[in-house]
Amino acid sequence: MDFELKTLSLAGAAGEKCDALVVLVGESFKVGKDVLSKLAGDALKARDLEPKPGKLLHAYRSEGVAAGRVILAGAGDGSGKRVHAAVQAAVATLRTTGVKRLVVCLPPDAKDDAVRAAVAATAETSYVYVATKSKPEGRVLQKVTIAVADKARHRVAFHAARSAAEGIEYARELGNLPPNHATPTRLGEEARRLAKAHGFQCEVLGPKEIAKAGMGSFLAVAQGSEQPPRFIVLRYQGAAAGTAPLVLVGKGITFDSGGISIKPSQDMDEMKFDMGGAASVLGAFRALGDLRPALNVVGLIPSCENMPDGRSVKPGDIVTSMSGQTIEILNTDAEGRLILCDALTYAERFNPMAVIDIATLTGACVVALGGVRSGLFASDDELAQGLLAAGDAALDPCWRMPLDEEYADGLKSNFADVANVAGRAGGAVNAAKFLQRFAGKYPWAHLDIAGTAWKGGAAKGSTGRPVGLLVQFMLDRQGRAAAKPRRTAARRK
Ligand code: BES
Ligand code: MN
Ligand code: ZN
């Protein structure tokens, strides 16, 4: 889908040749002399339209308007959040129509956040999954014009939003693929393809190389599957070669059956989304390739299936992680932390300025935060603040969770250095405490996206979160990497 930013008043928009016009009408709306604003003014007066997000009024073949369809959409205070809701509601009604060319008219006082929201909501709402349909009927929408009062003011935000939308859509597409298609091998191929298209460095390690690196914990999870594991290393260089990179680590479990600690069959298909962290790293790299910000970024993806088999790892097995720490695997369904811990140790070799892991890690995080905010855990306050702010700005929010030492008590093992599970209470924090043992050498954050990476029910599908947050965070960080000396040890919380 093509996006375009254009300087266009409502008077100009009336003459714009397109299939549909979406006119956002906020609380600060003022009636002018042009047809569209008169239409909106009359509708408001008659109370056929309210300036609240979600409120819509459709008009067809209006006199003096070139577009066949006009949708007046309440946009509240015109903030990013309200504009997102308004555009989402409007574009959703167009999904079953033949609208190919759309113009979205933002209020004249729209800020960058409204521009970003309009792009994100249009892209997100018009997405259609077709990859495994025999008669694919994809997205109808082809060209979207975002009309603003002065396009020069919004160019940077617009470009960022468009690239983020592409990254988000790529992550969604990968997440939605069935687990017999989105295998670890396929993820490795996707990484290679991305690298070739955008000039990233890419290395994909197979079982032998993973064993050679000493990732005994990762391999223990992979050993029950017929699908060989992959450890993906992607490198984007946007700053001087010596500049400490940001490292993104994505959980890439392409199917989580639970292993020997097998899950109930209800909704088990949704465990194809257990590679949402990996997909978000690939999506973030896709956006990086486009935006090319001034920082260095490394992407690490440990990817495998978690399956029951005669060769599977068993409850009680003890494995040695790359860090040298031994782990008693008491529950094979707590596999995410077992593959991430080795990736966190691997990350040390890059002397990172910060490491962020992204994982559909715990059902407990879904209970705690639902599908609205991702769980954020961080050993470094500044990193946490940056991620919280980026999430709010990108309308892809997260919420900070604690890391008190007491939460690690349950991870004690009589037979190894650490156990891979503690009690059910505080499950999301226990998991984060496990990871923290492997992330002591750099500022570290962990995003538990178990509740936000996909939706279940009738709208079942990947959301592409938290690609929006990550892209915003990287843009906020650019240029700063060189200016700031790297801390040698993370401040523990
Ligand atoms: N991938 C799951 C987490 C998950 C479960 C995400 C449900 C979204 C919905 C993870 O590997 C897992 O199984 N975690 C266990 C951990 C437990 C055994 C300590 C969980 O959350 O039940
Ligand atoms: Mn699991
Ligand atoms: Zn899992």
Side-chain angles (χ1 to χ4, degrees), residues 179-268:
N180 59 332
H181 288 225
T183 58
T185 304
R186 169 73 180 268
L187 293 187
E189 287 163 6
E190 293 288 335
R192 277 215 192 87
R193 213 164 51 88
L194 264 186
K196 212 167 159 203
H198 299 285
F200 306 139
Q201 272 181 53
C202 178
E203 240 183 307
V204 181
L205 312 188
K208 283 199 195 105
E209 293 134 311
I210 297 168
K212 209 166 147 212
M215 300 193 206
S217 184
F218 174 27
L219 278 180
V221 177
Q223 77 193 28
S225 169
E226 294 292 323
Q227 292 290 340
R230 293 287 183 261
F231 189 89
I232 301 166
V233 185
L234 266 173
R235 302 189 70 168
Y236 161 76
Q237 196 187 321
T243 309
L246 172 70
V247 178
L248 302 178
V249 179
K251 172 179 172 182
I253 294 289
T254 59
F255 188 72
D256 181 11
S257 71
I260 296 300
S261 313
I262 198 162
K263 288 180 180 294
S265 22
Q266 176 82 40
D267 294 334
M268 204 206 266

Side-chain angles (χ1 to χ4, degrees), residues 251 253 256 271 274 333 335-336 360:
K251 172 179 172 182
I253 294 289
D256 181 11
M271 283 298 123
D274 212 16
D333 197 12
E335 85 297 339
T360 49

Side-chain angles (χ1 to χ4, degrees), residues 292-318:
R292 309 206 82 81
L295 82 166
N296 293 336
V297 187
V298 176
L300 300 178
I301 298 174
S303 179
C304 67
E305 284 183 338
N306 185 22
M307 296 292 276
D309 181 77
R311 289 186 182 79
S312 286
V313 72
K314 305 172 290 298
D317 280 2
I318 292 177

